Amino acid sequence: MKKIIVTGGAGFIGSNFVRMLLKKKARQKVTVLDKLTYAGNLDNISDLMKDRRLEFIKGDICNARLLDSILPGTDIIYNFAAETHVDRSILEAGSFVKTDVVGTYTLLQKTLKYSIPRFVQISTDEVYGSILKGKFRETDPMLPNSPYSASKAAADMLVRSFHKTYGLPAVITRSSNNYGPNQHPEKFIPLFLTNAIEGKPLPLYGDGKNIRDWVYVEDNCRAIELVGRSGKTGEIYNIGAGEEKTNLYIARKIIEITGADKSLLTLISDRPGHDRRYAVCTRKISRLGWKKKVGFSEGMQKTARWYIDNEKWWKSIKEGAFKRYYSRMYSRRIDTSVKKGTE
Ligand code: NAD
Ligand code: TYD
């Protein structure tokens, strides 16, 4: 029986990935190792727990001893575990360095020790930094601008060095922004969807014209599995949907879909170091046989429907410690906002 470890499998992309793996009838044991930080949520996979092929272990990827007890005999590790929110990394970078850098290092050491034949590092297009024209290729240098992307870039360098120095059989995926079910409501699309449903302001940073390329989470999960299976060892694969949108465009779409009042749109002061545009060339992953299945309009409809149907899921998050974070991050910026209801 194939033994698969998914770190961070209770988070947004990791939980969608575990769901996808278990849909296959394959003989496999899937172990989720997750610290359950504010971003992790067992509800994301609780309905899958009845599948005996799934095991959940609450723990930290920095915990070398714990890894010693879990990893022997593993066939493949997918490392999704990370601190992931750029805004939080601006408030406090230490946990990002710890999990994203030291955690990845600890996993790499143990992957070597137990001769695990495949290590898939889930990285991000943000390691390249911002690009105003054109698209980043896998061979471009990394120029990260936030403590989050810098920590992810450091992890990528460690993965590369373990491959070059010790022959560790690793591959790296760098995807663009994901959206879909189970994404924490402090991230852009879920925050705006849930605020729109609640009739609360939609706080757009700066002029709202920053651009991201949005890939539907299930498409990214298929790409990651493909890279794990067929990617060339030591290589990096960009993943993107070619769905470049300004934040303002998305905010307006959300207002249209939810029927919220246009006046909720609120321009607030910008995020420090805010990357203007992300875009990656995806020729390499398409040569492996991947292409997106879900376009942006369909993906947004599916995502909005999920948040409308799963109010209990996000309300329980928004009513907890989230409130303190939200007030710290937004209250003054919304009170002194530049302009309400952008035309
Ligand atoms: P997320 O924040 O929703 O989930 C991260 C998960 O990791 C959570 O369940 C959390 O509890 C767990 N975790 C955090 N620290 C841990 C630790 N020390 N040990 C074990 N578990 C820990 O993140 P996500 O959006 O699902 O992102 C998953 C991965 O994909 C990350 O590596 C991220 O950098 C990458 N990525 C995300 C996006 C995106 O748009 N969300 C885009 C590109 C790449
Ligand atoms: P985010 O979801 O934090 O992802 P990332 O910074 O990793 O791309 O933000 C996506 C975009 O939305 C980014 O340009 C910042 C912007 N944004 C807002 O305008 N307002 C918000 O409240 C948030 C959370 C993000």
Side-chain angles (χ1 to χ4, degrees):
M1 186 180 281
K2 192 170 180 191
K3 183 172 170 184
I4 303 170
I5 305 278
V6 181
T7 73
F12 165 44
I13 308 176
S15 62
N16 279 281
F17 186 76
V18 169
R19 188 169 298 278
M20 182 195 73
L21 286 184
L22 292 175
K23 266 197 190 136
K24 297 189 179 145
K25 292 278 166 272
R27 269 172 49 79
Q28 53 185 352
K29 164 113 185 282
V30 179
T31 299
V32 168
L33 170 63
D34 197 296
K35 188 178 172 183
L36 295 182
T37 65
Y38 79 95
N41 188 343
L42 261 190
D43 287 348
N44 293 345
I45 49 170
S46 53
D47 63 311
L48 302 171
M49 290 297 192
K50 54 185 179 295
D51 189 324
R52 291 176 52 191
R53 296 172 302 163
L54 176 65
E55 173 189 40
F56 175 78
I57 297 171
K58 182 172 189 279
D60 192 327
I61 58 167
C62 300
N63 184 341
R65 273 227 191 133
L66 177 66
L67 296 182
D68 278 328
S69 70
I70 301 172
L71 296 195
T74 297
D75 294 294
I76 184 163
I77 298 178
Y78 294 94
N79 183 27
F80 289 88
E83 287 291 341
T84 62
H85 195 173
V86 174
D87 288 324
R88 285 199 184 238
S89 80
I90 294 168
L91 291 177
E92 185 275 320
S95 58
F96 288 72
V97 175
K98 191 139 190 283
T99 288
D100 302 8
V101 186
V102 180
T104 302
Y105 162 70
T106 313
L107 276 172
L108 290 169
Q109 265 188 319
K110 299 300 176 185
T111 300
L112 261 191
K113 179 173 175 189
Y114 297 111
S115 306
I116 294 167
R118 198 71 160 159
F119 185 92
V120 185
Q121 173 66 6
I122 316 304
S123 184
T124 163
D125 64 352
E126 300 191 25
V127 296
Y128 297 115
S130 187
I131 187 166
L132 293 182
K133 277 197 187 129
K135 295 178 176 198
F136 285 119
R137 298 178 55 184
E138 288 86 349
T139 44
D140 283 324
M142 295 192 280
L143 287 172
N145 294 314
S146 72
Y148 161 65
S149 53
S151 304
K152 293 296 288 186
D156 283 14
M157 288 195 171
L158 284 167
V159 173
R160 176 190 158 87
S161 73
F162 270 63
H163 169 67
K164 292 279 181 194
T165 308
Y166 308 112
L168 187 131
V171 281
I172 296 176
T173 65
R174 289 186 181 153
S175 95
S176 60
N177 287 58
N178 285 222
Y179 67 110
N182 295 357
Q183 189 169 27
H184 192 280
E186 71 184 27
K187 294 293 186 87
F188 174 56
I189 288 181
L191 179 70
F192 275 41
L193 274 171
T194 58
N195 276 11
I197 294 167
E198 294 183 302
K200 292 183 177 157
L202 310 184
L204 268 179
Y205 298 162
D207 62 2
K209 298 204 176 127
N210 298 65
I211 292 173
R212 301 289 183 263
D213 166 16
W214 293 92
V215 62
Y216 192 65
V217 63
E218 288 174 5
D219 279 335
N220 184 31
C221 289
R222 277 192 304 108
I224 291 168
E225 196 274 334
L226 178 64
V227 170
R229 192 160 30 89
S230 317
K232 191 163 168 239
T233 299
E235 298 279 316
I236 297 162
Y237 292 85
N238 289 340
I239 301 163
E243 297 277 11
E244 289 186 37
K245 307 285 176 233
T246 64
N247 296 333
L248 183 57
Y249 172 89
I250 292 177
R252 286 185 173 141
K253 244 295 141 310
I254 286 172
I255 285 178
E256 186 189 307
I257 295 174
T258 56
D261 198 304
K262 271 209 299 217
S263 68
L264 293 178
L265 263 187
T266 308
L267 291 181
I268 65 168
S269 59
D270 210 351
R271 167 193 281 175
H274 195 178
D275 285 332
R276 191 66 173 168
R277 174 173 172 263
Y278 297 138
V280 285
C281 167
T282 54
R283 223 172 291 141
K284 193 167 171 183
I285 181 97
S286 49
R287 280 202 296 265
L288 271 191
W290 177 87
K291 65 171 193 250
K292 76 168 176 212
K293 283 188 179 165
V294 181
F296 187 75
S297 308
E298 185 192 349
M300 268 308 292
Q301 290 291 346
K302 279 156 95 92
T303 305
R305 173 61 29 222
W306 191 86
Y307 283 89
I308 291 164
D309 291 346
N310 289 276
E311 208 166 288
K312 214 169 132 211
W313 180 91
W314 55 263
K315 279 215 159 139
S316 72
I317 298 173
K318 278 186 125 178
E319 269 149 27
F322 175 88
K323 274 192 176 160
R324 234 174 303 125
Y325 165 79
Y326 195 76
S327 147
R328 187 169 171 205
M329 179 59 75
Y330 294 97
S331 55
R332 255 196 292 135
R333 288 158 86 188
I334 288 178
D335 290 345
T336 57
S337 65
V338 190
K339 192 171 165 224
K340 277 194 126 195
T342 54
E343 289 81 51

